[in-house]
Amino acid sequence: MAAAMAASLRLRNLLMRRLTAPTHLGLNLSLRPLGSSAQEKSSRAAPSEAPDHSYESLRVTATQKHILHVQLNRPEKRNAMNKAFWREMVECFNKIAQDPDCRAVVISGSGKTFTAGIDLTDFASDLLQPQGEDAARISWHLRRLIAGYQETFSVIEKCPKPVIAAIHGGCIGAGVDLITACDIRYCAQDAFFQVKEVDIGLAADVGTLQRLPRVIGNQSLVNELAFTARKMMADEALGSGLVSRLFPDKEAMLDAAFALAAEISSKSPVAVQGTKIHLLYSRDHSVAEGLNYMASWNMSMLQTEDIVKSVQAAMEKKELKSVTFSKL
């Protein structure tokens, strides 16, 4: 261990000398787009079933190194979210969060649509005949149910691995709750989005009303969508900032989503996962609190060997995909 630490210190010192050397050595860290080939060479290999991920409502596959593809997998029901889905999403993303091989996730819907939202036929008894002997006990029961359903999407946000939502067709009701908990959203031209809950007599209660205003930054538009349940079409979603890119069809969208995931997964997992954690923390705290947390975080994380490896790759004009970062 002492020898390894000494070797690491010598390498750091060497890098520091090279970084502070005169510019005639030709070092230019700012102009080279590192990892570009990860995006250019993003063809999807034949997916293999991810180990330890066997579900009724989801299909999880390993499409490329360090990338998992989570599919809503009830195409015959337009990927409506049944009771199994709400339970399995928590199990799935808790496993992904602890998976040292996974560095990025793409989530999409199988079949012709992303999701039709909650499966009302599967939830009729919970909604119309809740358990409890009196109003107080019924209320406590419903509160536990709602908190559990909220965790189904909060677990995506809590997962330190970046999650990319790839949306085609309808993204209705709870589908909007799901995608607003993701880090990045792409959609196909046929996509549309509906905050549908008012049409079934309730206020959206598992994340849309809390996350959508922060995602698009337009309270007036959020209010309009939530009060009317009208459709937001793909072009409007792009213009409002709900999605960051728009593609002509599902295939092109998925190719781009996996290219992005490959680019992300080529970076240091210490850097990427720390970045996600701090982006979310800063969203919910003041600038001063965010800076204080960042200082406390990086006093440990700056000691990672990933910095040495990344800087060395840049100096040697190597792409980051050629660097082997330790699992995290």
Side-chain angles (χ1 to χ4, degrees), residues 91-109:
E91 179 183 351
C92 175
F93 275 90
N94 279 335
K95 286 181 179 178
I96 290 173
Q98 299 299 320
D99 182 351
D101 285 318
C102 178
R103 296 182 185 174
V105 182
V106 174
I107 185 166
S108 69

Side-chain angles (χ1 to χ4, degrees), residues 234-247:
D235 289 322
E236 185 182 5
L238 178 64
S240 71
L242 178 58
V243 301
S244 52
R245 294 186 67 188
L246 174 61
F247 299 89

Side-chain angles (χ1 to χ4, degrees), residues 30 45 110 126 144 206 222 227 239 254 262 284 316:
S30 62
S110 60
D126 286 344
R144 284 192 294 269
V206 289
V222 171
F227 295 158
L254 285 173
D284 299 330
E316 296 174 358

Side-chain angles (χ1 to χ4, degrees), residues 132-151:
E133 297 176 358
D134 57 26
R137 288 167 177 81
I138 291 172
S139 297
W140 275 102
H141 173 71
L142 286 173
R143 193 183 195 285
R144 284 192 294 269
L145 284 179
I146 294 167
Y149 299 151
Q150 290 172 344
E151 183 65 14

Side-chain angles (χ1 to χ4, degrees), residues 185-250:
R185 288 162 293 278
Y186 285 179
C187 79
Q189 187 66 58
D190 68 347
F192 66 89
F193 306 83
Q194 274 186 289
V195 184
K196 188 70 172 173
E197 282 80 357
V198 293
D199 278 353
I200 57 172
L202 56 89
D205 57 1
V206 289
T208 289
L209 303 185
Q210 292 71 38
R211 295 188 176 101
L212 186 59
R214 295 168 186 250
V215 168
I216 66 176
N218 184 332
Q219 190 66 52
S220 177
L221 179 57
V222 171
N223 293 350
E224 178 187 334
L225 295 170
F227 295 158
T228 66
R230 75 163 176 86
K231 292 181 180 180
M232 170 186 271
M233 307 309 290
D235 289 322
E236 185 182 5
L238 178 64
S240 71
L242 178 58
V243 301
S244 52
R245 294 186 67 188
L246 174 61
F247 299 89
D249 54 43
K250 181 181 179 181

Side-chain angles (χ1 to χ4, degrees), residues 14 35 80 263 293 302:
L14 173 63
E263 184 73 14
Y293 185 34
L302 287 177

